[in-house]
Amino acid sequence: MMIWTKEKIEALSPEKRETLFHNARTSGTPAGQAIIDLMLEHDLLVRTGGGLPRDHPIIQEIEQIIRSDKGKQAAIKASTEGHPAMAGVDPMLSAALGSQYGGHDTTSWAGTLVAEVMAEAGYIQTRKKPMPEGSVAKTAAFFERK
């Protein structure tokens, strides 16, 4: 069995790192957890282009916040007030994640996840709109009831 080190993981392509992470997660073993911990500690789970995969813990936390009752209500409320749905959850994400929100494609993932939640709630995307001043995300989708 291979002993994974930071250097060995760094030498892998982003695609192979993502596969290694996925396999470590699904293994459910202490060795798998050690790989996950090593990759997260050294920020080695970044995809080609700088983004994080959907199963990265930061993206998972973003999804939990957005899919929570409070997150869904905030997104819908923002839409009914004429703002992008993201305007409702952006402050929640910023408060929960601090500096981890805004880099590594996290705002893009948040937008994707908000779009899923809004579609599930019966809304359709009609256009993009600028986010309110002070938001981490700069533009986001605007949704209207079907």
Side-chain angles (χ1 to χ4, degrees):
M1 177 180 214
M2 178 183 283
I3 304 294
W4 287 98
T5 64
K6 175 183 179 263
E7 292 73 24
K8 285 180 184 176
I9 297 171
E10 282 177 326
L12 297 175
S13 69
E15 294 81 12
K16 287 186 178 179
R17 287 184 199 176
E18 195 169 336
T19 299
L20 176 64
F21 182 82
H22 174 74
N23 291 341
R25 280 193 66 196
T26 57
S27 76
T29 64
Q33 188 59 51
I35 291 168
I36 292 167
D37 293 344
L38 185 64
M39 292 180 82
L40 295 177
E41 177 185 353
H42 296 288
D43 203 19
L44 299 175
L45 193 58
V46 177
R47 295 185 300 181
T48 304
L52 301 175
R54 187 171 186 150
D55 62 356
H56 188 283
I58 292 171
I59 306 306
Q60 291 289 296
E61 187 171 353
I62 289 170
E63 185 164 12
Q64 287 175 354
I65 292 166
I66 290 169
R67 290 192 173 278
S68 71
D69 288 342
K70 187 176 177 183
K72 290 176 191 177
Q73 291 166 2
I76 291 169
K77 183 175 187 275
S79 287
T80 60
E81 293 176 352
H83 301 289
M86 271 289 293
V89 296
D90 188 88
M92 296 167 65
L93 297 172
S94 186
L97 295 165
S99 64
Q100 292 180 313
Y101 177 59
H104 293 304
D105 207 25
T106 54
T107 55
S108 179
W109 269 115
T112 297
L113 296 164
V114 165
E116 289 177 7
V117 164
M118 294 301 286
E120 291 163 9
Y123 288 77
I124 57 169
Q125 179 179 336
T126 57
R127 62 191 178 277
K128 294 272 188 177
K129 290 180 88 171
M131 289 284 286
E133 193 171 323
S135 299
V136 174
K138 300 304 172 208
T139 61
F142 180 72
F143 296 87
E144 296 180 55
R145 259 289 190 214
K146 288 183 185 177

